[in-house]
Amino acid sequence: MFVAWRDLRFAKGRFTLMGTVIVLITLLVGLLSGLTAGLARENVSAITGLPADRLAFAAPPDGRSVSFTDSTVTASQWRDWAARPGVSAAEPLGIRTLNAAAGGRTAAVSAFGTASGSGIAPGGTGPGRVVLSTSAAKELDVTPGDTVRLGTLDAAVAAVSGDASYSHTPVVWTSLGDWQKLGHSGTTPEEQATVIALSGAGADWAAGDAALRTSSKTIDEALGAIGSYQAENGSLQLMRGFLFAISALVIGAFFTVWTIQRSADVAVLKALGASTRYLLKDALGQAVVMLTAGTLFGTGLAVGFGALISGGDVPFVLDPLTVLGPAAVIVVLGVLGAALSIRRITAVDPLTALGSAR
Amino acid sequence: MSLLLDHVTLTYPDGDGRLTALDAVSLDVPAGSLAAVVGPSGSGKSSLLAVAATLVTPDSGRVVVAGTETSSLGPAQKAELRRETVGIVFQQPNLLPSLTALEQLQVMAHLSGRTSRTARERAGELLDAVGLAVQAHRRPHQLSGGQRQRVNIARALMNEPSVLLVDEPTSALDHERGAAVMELLAGLTAERGTATVLVTHDRTHLDRADRVVTVRDGRITEEARV
C-alpha cells in the first residue's frame, strides 16, 4: 500500500468527502438497525421470552396461515397435547389486548392468561391477582398492592416483573380464569385459550397437530403469526436492505471515477513493472482503509445517538448485533462494490505511459 | 548485459489491413553503450522502444533483454523483467502526483518487494547524483520541468537496470537543460554499464551518443558511430 497511503494523504478532500458519505450511511443504518430491533422487541419479547419449544395454534382454514388473533384452543386440546409421548409440558396461554386503568391513568396492555402453577408466567398470578411488566406499571403508575382495572375486571397488583411486551403493548400476566372472564371468543362453553405452549424432546409434533387439529410452530415461526410484526419488520428490513445496496453503489461509483482518474498513473506503474496483483491489492487496501475508518466513525456516532435516545420512549436496542452487524455488512458490501470498480485496473494498457506508439 | 533486437517485425491493425511499424529491425546495444535512435514522427522510433521494453509483443523476430529471450514470457514475467532489468525514462516525466521525489524512487524498490532502509538511502544517493538532494521531499507540482525530468531519470536507475530505455528526454526542455540531461545520461551509461537506447527527434545533442541509428518507415536506414 505504498502508493495507496500516499494517495489517501494527498487527496484528502476527495477521500474526506467520500468518507463522510460512508459515515452518514453507517450512522443511518446503525440508527435504523437499533430502531428495528427496538420495535421488534416491543412486538415480540413476550413471545420470545416464553420458556417453551413450540406454540400450538388452532389449525387455520385451508390456505390461511396461523394467527394469534384468530386462534382459539380448547382445554381438551391442551390436555391431549400434555398426554402425548415426548411432550413434557402443554400450557394454555390466553392473549388479549385491552385497556387497563389505574387511578386516572389508562394504557393499552396485553393480558396474558396462564394456568395456575404454569412455568411460563412469572409467579404471583391468581384469581384477582395480576403481575405487571415494568412498562405497564410505569404507564399506569402502580406498584404492588395497588389495584388495576382490566376491562371489566378489578385485580390487585401482586408484583411487577420483567419487561415483556406484545404487539407494542406491555404485558399484564393474569390467571387463565380471569383472562377467560375478560371476554369469551368461542361459541362453545369449553374452557379456552389462544395457544398452547409446548415443551418436550422427541415428540412427533406433526402427528400431534394432525390428531388434535392444531398447527404447532417453533417460537421463531410463531412470530409471523403476529400480524403487525411481519409488516413492520418487513418494511424496516427492506429500508435497511436498500441502504446497504445504496452504500455499495455509492462506494462502487466513487472508486470507478477514482480508478478512471488515476488510470494514467496505473499505466506508468505497470510500465515500470508493477504487477496487476500488486496494483489491485494497493487499490483494494485503500478502499478497505477508507471503508473501515468511515464505518468505525459512523458506528461510533450511532452508538452515541443510540445511548442518548435508548433511555427514553424511543424503542431502541443498542447491542453488538445492532451495532457491529450493520457495520460489518457495510464494509463487506463496500469492498465488493470497490472490487468491481477497481478490476478495471487489469484493463489499463501500460503502453499508454509511453504515449502513442510511433 | 546487452539489448538485442533481431529481425523484429511489428504491425498494427489499420482499417482493413495492417500498418507495419517495424520491418525486420535488428539492433544490438552492448553494455555501457548509448545508442541514439532518430527519425521523423511515425518512423517507428517509439515502437522500437515499446518492443524493447516488452510492452508490445512483435509479430516476429527475437527480443533479448539482458540475456532473457522475451518471446516466451507471460505478462507477469514481462512485468518482473521490466521491474528488475529495464529502466524506462518517459518522454513526459510521468511522476505520480501523490509522491515526493524521494518516494518516486522508493516506489521502484517497493514494487520489487524491497522496503529496507538501504532502498531509501539509494534513492537519496540517486537524487543527489542528479542534483536534487535538496528537492527530495517535494512533490511533482513543486518541481520545475527539468527537475521532474531528472527525477524521471533517477527513478529509471533505482533498480540498477541493465537496459535503459529513454524516450525523448529533452523534448520539453530548453537547450541548456537538454544538454545537461544528455550529459547525465551519457555519464550514467558509462559509469553504470547500462545498454542505453535513446529515442529522439532532436539531433542537437547526439554527440553524447556512441552511435546514431536512423529509422525511417519502420526500417533502420543508417547507422553511424559518433
Side-chain angles (χ1 to χ4, degrees), chain A residues 111-133:
Chain A
F112 272 44
T114 59
S116 62
S118 163
I120 61 173
T125 60
R129 283 183 291 119
V130 295
V131 173
L132 271 62
S133 65

Side-chain angles (χ1 to χ4, degrees), chain B residues 14-37:
Chain B
D14 183 32
D16 293 335
R18 294 191 73 82
L19 176 74
T20 302
L22 295 175
D23 189 1
V25 167
S26 293
L27 179 69
D28 186 4
V29 184
S33 138
L34 195 163
V37 178

Side-chain angles (χ1 to χ4, degrees), chain B residues 57-103:
Chain B
T57 304
D59 300 2
S60 62
R62 288 194 312 138
V63 178
V64 182
V65 178
T68 303
E69 160 71 55
T70 62
S71 60
S72 58
L73 300 181
Q77 291 164 309
K78 283 181 179 171
E80 186 182 354
L81 184 73
R82 285 199 296 276
R83 200 162 61 228
E84 305 297 341
T85 313
V86 180
I88 301 176
V89 178
F90 300 101
Q91 180 176 359
Q92 299 300 322
N94 281 347
L95 302 181
L96 304 176
S98 62
L99 306 189
T100 63
L102 188 72
E103 289 165 347

Side-chain angles (χ1 to χ4, degrees), chain A residues 89-136:
Chain A
E91 300 288 349
L93 172 65
I95 301 173
R96 180 165 294 129
T97 299
L98 41 73
N99 272 320
R105 294 188 175 219
T106 60
V109 298
S110 287
F112 272 44
T114 59
S116 62
S118 163
I120 61 173
T125 60
R129 283 183 291 119
V130 295
V131 173
L132 271 62
S133 65
T134 49
S135 299

Side-chain angles (χ1 to χ4, degrees), chain A residues 1-3 6-7 9-11 264-275 278-279 349-358, chain B residues 12 42 44-47 49-50 55-56 79 82-83 88 90-91 94 96-99 103 106-108 110-111 139 141 155 167-168:
Chain A
M1 287 195 50
F2 187 88
V3 180
R6 284 152 184 84
D7 277 348
R9 285 208 303 260
F10 182 68
D265 293 347
V266 170
V268 169
L269 284 167
K270 277 189 168 183
L272 293 174
S275 65
Y278 175 94
L279 293 168
D349 185 355
L351 187 59
T352 56
L354 275 186
S356 58
R358 301 179 295 273
Chain B
Y12 293 115
K45 301 190 300 291
S46 287
S47 292
L49 208 62
L55 294 173
V56 178
R82 285 199 296 276
R83 200 162 61 228
I88 301 176
F90 300 101
Q91 180 176 359
N94 281 347
L96 304 176
S98 62
L99 306 189
E103 289 165 347
Q106 281 181 279
V107 76
M108 294 301 299
H110 201 266
L111 292 181
R139 292 206 167 89
H141 68 276
R155 176 175 63 184
D167 188 13
E168 305 274 11

Side-chain angles (χ1 to χ4, degrees), chain A residues 255-264 344:
Chain A
F255 277 101
T256 298
V257 174
W258 177 238
T259 306
I260 290 169
Q261 282 183 340
R262 62 189 291 266
S263 10
R344 68 178 58 231

Side-chain angles (χ1 to χ4, degrees), chain B residues 97-174:
Chain B
S98 62
L99 306 189
T100 63
L102 188 72
E103 289 165 347
Q104 306 281 349
L105 275 64
Q106 281 181 279
V107 76
M108 294 301 299
H110 201 266
L111 292 181
S112 301
R114 295 191 293 272
T115 54
S116 63
R117 179 187 291 266
T118 320
R120 187 185 167 87
E121 285 170 1
R122 174 165 170 74
E125 284 165 13
L126 279 169
L127 283 181
D128 194 20
V130 297
L132 291 174
V134 177
Q135 291 83 3
H137 297 290
R138 290 190 189 167
R139 292 206 167 89
H141 68 276
Q142 297 166 314
L143 299 171
S144 69
Q147 287 171 336
R148 283 198 287 266
Q149 192 59 286
R150 279 186 277 162
V151 175
N152 186 17
I153 293 168
R155 176 175 63 184
L157 297 169
M158 183 63 189
N159 283 352
E160 300 186 65
S162 306
V163 172
L164 188 60
L165 304 173
V166 189
D167 188 13
E168 305 274 11
T170 59
S171 63
L173 304 177
D174 59 30

Side-chain angles (χ1 to χ4, degrees), chain A residues 44-90:
Chain A
V44 302
S45 66
I47 302 299
T48 54
L50 289 172
D53 297 322
R54 299 176 80 84
L55 294 180
F57 295 78
D62 285 345
R64 298 191 59 183
S65 22
V66 294
S67 148
F68 281 98
T69 314
D70 299 336
S71 176
T72 302
V73 291
T74 61
S76 57
Q77 282 175 311
W78 68 72
R79 283 178 196 130
D80 288 348
W81 260 116
R84 291 194 68 84
V87 175
S88 56

